[in-house]
Amino acid sequence: MNTGLQKYFPMIRTRAEVLAEIQNQPKLSGNFQNWKKEQQEEFLDCVTGAKGVKILYDAFFKEIMNPETTPERLEQFLSLVLGESVKIKCVLPTDNSRIADESSLLIMDILIELEDGSLANLEAQKVGYMFPGQRMACYSADLLLRQYKRVRGEKGEAFSYKDIKKVYTLILYEKSSKEFHRFPDEYLHWIRPVSNTGIRLEWLQEHLLIPLDIFRLNLQNKGINNELDAWLTFLSADEPEMIEQLIKTYPQFKPMYQQIYEICRNTERVMELYSEELKILDKNTVQLMIDEMQDEIDGQKRRLIQKDEQLIQKDEQLFQKDKRIDHLSLENEQLSRQYKQQMQEIERLKRELAGQKQ
């Protein structure tokens, strides 16, 4: 009898079936044994439906949200987050010479041109710490420059800066950085240029940041209330109960899960995908630890500099006190001499007075 997600997706295999296939193929068995126990359990839970598959894994996301084969899915998602109807004109190749350092915890990268000529770059990050505002600005500038070069080349002398359309940088964070946790009720952060006077000009760069971990916290309290909530649940939730609720309320997601579990039937392919994700995670966990240690070292260095400055200030204060003490000592010495002189003068005057009386 099918239980859990198998009720909805009969192609999901049992734990025993998956393990039997792995054990019968030396290559798969060797890879499986190289994983840690918790990694083995996570893999088995995902492919057997005990837990949902992580949709943001590169291969799964690009398969399910492929703008070339199923553009309507990405169009629907972008329409909801951008707040306007979106039609994908074409998928643009990623530029190998782009500014960004792709060794970070980058999960996927989809670059598309919309029907109105605007460009949208959709990225996902496992760790928000690795995608600070500076990097986001570079991505956006890179995207704008690419459009500028292309449009100027096409238009030639007829080129006008008004020919340049907006560029959107959309970032999905699986685990957001501490800045986002200052806003526990917000998970859609629009960043647009704003003037101090209210003047409105046609700015071209816009950013939308979506911390999925904060969305999940809100989901536990508020539930799925609209279609955008449904999409964010699809992208972030791996609890079977939540997936069951999602496909009952929004059945358009069921074919996407079916596609995912069809992929999971290819054990060798899914194990290769999972191994690649583990390699990226291990590599970047080390990098994250190095960065955190460097931050700690930099913090200690700043504190040492501050203490040195405080010592210098204290030395200066002591020096000034010593100067005042020296000055007071000099004054005391001068007063003492004056006192002695005055006493001597008084004694002289007394003798003179006594002589006059005699």
Side-chain angles (χ1 to χ4, degrees), residues 95-255:
D95 186 354
N96 292 331
S97 64
R98 64 184 299 174
I99 296 172
D101 173 13
E102 302 300 347
S103 66
S104 69
L105 289 177
L106 185 67
I107 302 175
M108 51 85 184
D109 175 5
I110 295 179
L111 181 57
I112 56 176
E113 182 180 358
L114 307 182
E115 197 172 47
D116 65 351
S118 300
L119 300 183
N121 182 27
L122 179 59
E123 311 258 357
Q125 289 286 315
K126 280 187 177 293
V127 181
Y129 172 82
M130 303 294 292
F131 208 106
Q134 296 92 327
R135 182 178 174 187
M136 193 185 316
C138 290
Y139 269 48
S140 181
D142 184 33
L143 193 57
L144 191 62
L145 182 60
R146 288 178 62 180
Q147 182 189 185
Y148 165 78
K149 289 180 177 178
R150 177 176 57 81
V151 174
R152 182 153 195 162
E154 292 171 352
K155 295 281 188 176
E157 293 183 358
F159 170 79
S160 166
Y161 281 99
K162 292 184 179 181
D163 296 326
I164 305 295
K165 305 299 182 181
K166 282 189 177 182
V167 295
Y168 299 97
T169 303
L170 295 88
I171 314 294
L172 298 167
Y173 295 102
E174 187 172 317
K175 184 179 179 182
S176 58
S177 56
K178 61 183 179 181
E179 291 84 0
F180 290 93
H181 292 264
R182 295 173 53 202
F183 306 92
D185 299 323
E186 301 292 340
Y187 48 85
L188 296 174
H189 296 271
W190 273 107
I191 300 178
R192 303 179 174 102
V194 177
S195 75
N196 65 320
T197 60
I199 186 174
R200 294 188 177 183
L201 300 174
E202 186 64 22
W203 298 105
L204 297 178
Q205 294 165 288
E206 295 195 14
H207 308 78
L208 176 59
L209 317 180
I210 306 178
L212 292 174
D213 53 346
I214 292 178
F215 166 75
R216 282 168 56 82
L217 293 175
N218 282 267
L219 180 65
Q220 293 172 6
N221 299 326
K222 301 176 183 178
I224 304 172
N225 295 315
N226 51 53
E227 203 165 0
L228 178 56
D229 285 352
W231 270 103
L232 298 180
T233 301
F234 173 70
L235 294 172
S236 63
D238 60 2
E239 303 88 348
E241 300 79 13
M242 188 59 68
I243 294 173
E244 185 175 352
Q245 179 187 342
L246 177 63
I247 60 179
K248 282 182 177 179
T249 311
Y250 293 91
Q252 67 264 37
F253 291 98
K254 188 174 181 179

Side-chain angles (χ1 to χ4, degrees), residues 323-338:
K323 284 180 64 176
R324 287 198 295 273
I325 290 171
D326 290 342
H327 180 68
L328 290 172
S329 297
L330 181 60
E331 284 184 348
N332 287 340
E333 188 177 342
Q334 290 173 345
L335 288 171
S336 179
R337 284 199 301 269
Q338 289 175 1

